[in-house]
Amino acid sequence: MREVSIGEAARASGVKVPTIRYYEQIGLLPAPVRRDNNRRLYTAAYLKRLAFIRHARELGFEIDAIRTLLELQDHPQQSCAAADATARVHLAEVERRIGSLQALRDELQRMIDGCSHGKVAECRVIETLADTSHRHGRLV
Amino acid sequence: MREVSIGEAARASGVKVPTIRYYEQIGLLPAPVRRDNNRRLYTAAYLKRLAFIRHARELGFEIDAIRTLLELQDHPQQSCAAADATARVHLAEVERRIGSLQALRDELQRMIDGCSHGKVAECRVIETLADTSHRHGRLV
DNA sequence: GCTTGCTCCTCTAGTGGCTAGAGGATGTAG
DNA sequence: CTACATCCTCTAGCCACTAGAGGAGCAAGC
């Protein structure tokens, strides 16, 4: 279980070096151990967290939401009910996003199909996502 | 086809009033007509764009990506090949996101199920999204 | 052993995408 | 005709990075 430098951590996780330091600074991730030369040293578990954060951010989750998910991960046994409630909120939000993305995907696919048949596809990406019927609140 | 004020537009689309003005300012949306009293007046079509932008932003698309999608919408006939390429890039990205979200959804569901059975679920949300195998580039 | 060049460190400043607030005009309900 | 909401513009702040300055550490080749 070899420990790696911040540069290697960045390459392995896809999170940039300054961003990793930033996450440490805001307390989203714990400060890693340092070598004698003052350089940060990352474990495999730490890298997984980094990659997780990266994906969650790309999917539009806010830092606070990610913080909650990480805590859910770390303390699943303490107050099962609380964890359950948190998970449910996130689940609902995730499902909503999947629905929106699927609608968008179908519309993009329709456009590509139309295009490949040589005829001009009328673009309706707006209608696809403009539907205001899926109302919802903030993701906590 | 009644035209509405910025306040009504905000309520109807879910985009806040200052954000609407901001989108106008950065040129993401055209400046709407004004009444004699200098107040903005929005059409139904404009509202759809607003709602579209809102959903796209929530799904993590950058302003530039949204700009591209709106142009795709407005000029689908000019250079079908270019539109097709753009659509394909977005489609790939959208599918990747759907995959990630589905994995996250399944994991959250698993946690909730475990919890409802009274036993403590080991949380593996990190593993769910930490998978670095789905490598990818930026969404243009 | 010393230079070249990469990576690391900290710190400050800038960017994108909003969001809040000041200060003032205009519209609407009682 | 007053009270209050809504609109206007403008400036400043916030979140989540991102870039750059200035300097130290290490590894490889000469």
Side-chain angles (χ1 to χ4, degrees):
Chain A
M1 202 61 88
R2 194 173 133 266
E3 300 194 320
V4 301
S5 72
I6 195 167
E8 280 180 87
R11 273 187 294 279
S13 67
V15 181
K16 291 177 188 165
V17 169
T19 307
I20 296 176
R21 289 198 274 247
Y22 168 73
Y23 288 155
E24 179 186 331
Q25 186 191 310
I26 62 169
L28 182 61
L29 286 173
V33 291
R34 304 256 184 154
R35 258 192 289 186
D36 303 4
N37 55 17
N38 195 35
R39 301 194 173 188
R40 292 168 178 84
L41 225 44
Y42 295 93
T43 63
Y46 206 109
L47 296 195
K48 280 195 177 179
R49 298 207 149 214
L50 272 178
F52 169 76
I53 293 170
R54 185 205 173 179
H55 289 295
R57 286 295 298 138
E58 275 179 0
L59 294 171
F61 290 94
E62 291 170 12
I63 295 285
D64 269 6
I66 294 171
R67 219 185 279 269
T68 307
L69 285 170
L70 286 175
E71 273 161 29
L72 201 60
Q73 160 89 22
D74 292 339
H75 316 286
Q77 77 293 357
Q78 69 166 36
S79 177
C80 190
D84 180 85
T86 304
R88 274 176 205 280
V89 170
H90 285 279
L91 178 61
E93 177 63 20
V94 165
E95 283 183 335
R96 218 185 41 73
R97 291 188 189 199
I98 289 173
S100 290
L101 283 173
Q102 280 171 342
L104 182 56
R105 177 192 59 191
D106 293 348
E107 180 55 22
L108 287 170
Q109 190 62 66
R110 200 186 60 76
M111 288 190 62
I112 291 167
D113 291 349
C115 202
S116 66
H117 291 122
K119 50 177 182 165
V120 171
E122 188 193 357
C123 184
R124 289 195 295 264
V125 284
I126 288 185
E127 272 72 12
T128 304
L129 282 192
D131 182 8
T132 41
S133 68
H134 29 90
R135 294 239 137 270
H136 51 273
R138 274 274 124 221
L139 184 59
V140 179
Chain B
M1 203 60 91
R2 193 172 136 267
E3 300 193 320
V4 301
S5 73
I6 197 167
E8 282 180 85
R11 275 187 294 278
S13 68
V15 181
K16 290 176 189 166
V17 169
T19 307
I20 296 176
R21 288 199 274 248
Y22 169 73
Y23 287 155
E24 179 186 330
Q25 186 192 309
I26 63 169
L28 182 60
L29 286 173
V33 291
R34 304 257 184 152
R35 261 193 286 187
D36 303 4
N37 55 18
N38 194 35
R39 298 192 175 190
R40 293 168 177 85
L41 224 45
Y42 296 94
T43 62
Y46 206 109
L47 296 194
K48 281 195 176 177
R49 297 204 150 215
L50 272 178
F52 168 76
I53 293 170
R54 186 207 173 177
H55 289 295
R57 286 294 298 139
E58 276 178 1
L59 293 172
F61 291 95
E62 291 170 13
I63 295 285
D64 270 4
I66 294 170
R67 218 184 280 268
T68 306
L69 285 171
L70 286 175
E71 273 161 29
L72 202 59
Q73 161 87 22
D74 292 339
H75 315 286
Q77 78 292 356
Q78 68 165 35
S79 177
C80 191
D84 179 86
T86 305
R88 274 176 204 281
V89 170
H90 285 278
L91 178 61
E93 177 63 21
V94 165
E95 283 184 334
R96 219 186 39 76
R97 291 188 189 199
I98 290 173
S100 290
L101 282 173
Q102 280 172 342
L104 182 56
R105 177 192 59 190
D106 292 350
E107 180 55 23
L108 287 169
Q109 189 62 65
R110 202 185 59 76
M111 287 188 66
I112 292 167
D113 290 350
C115 204
S116 67
H117 290 122
K119 50 178 182 163
V120 172
E122 186 194 357
C123 185
R124 289 196 294 264
V125 284
I126 287 186
E127 273 71 13
T128 304
L129 281 191
D131 182 7
T132 41
S133 69
H134 28 91
R135 294 239 136 273
H136 51 275
R138 274 275 125 219
L139 184 58
V140 181

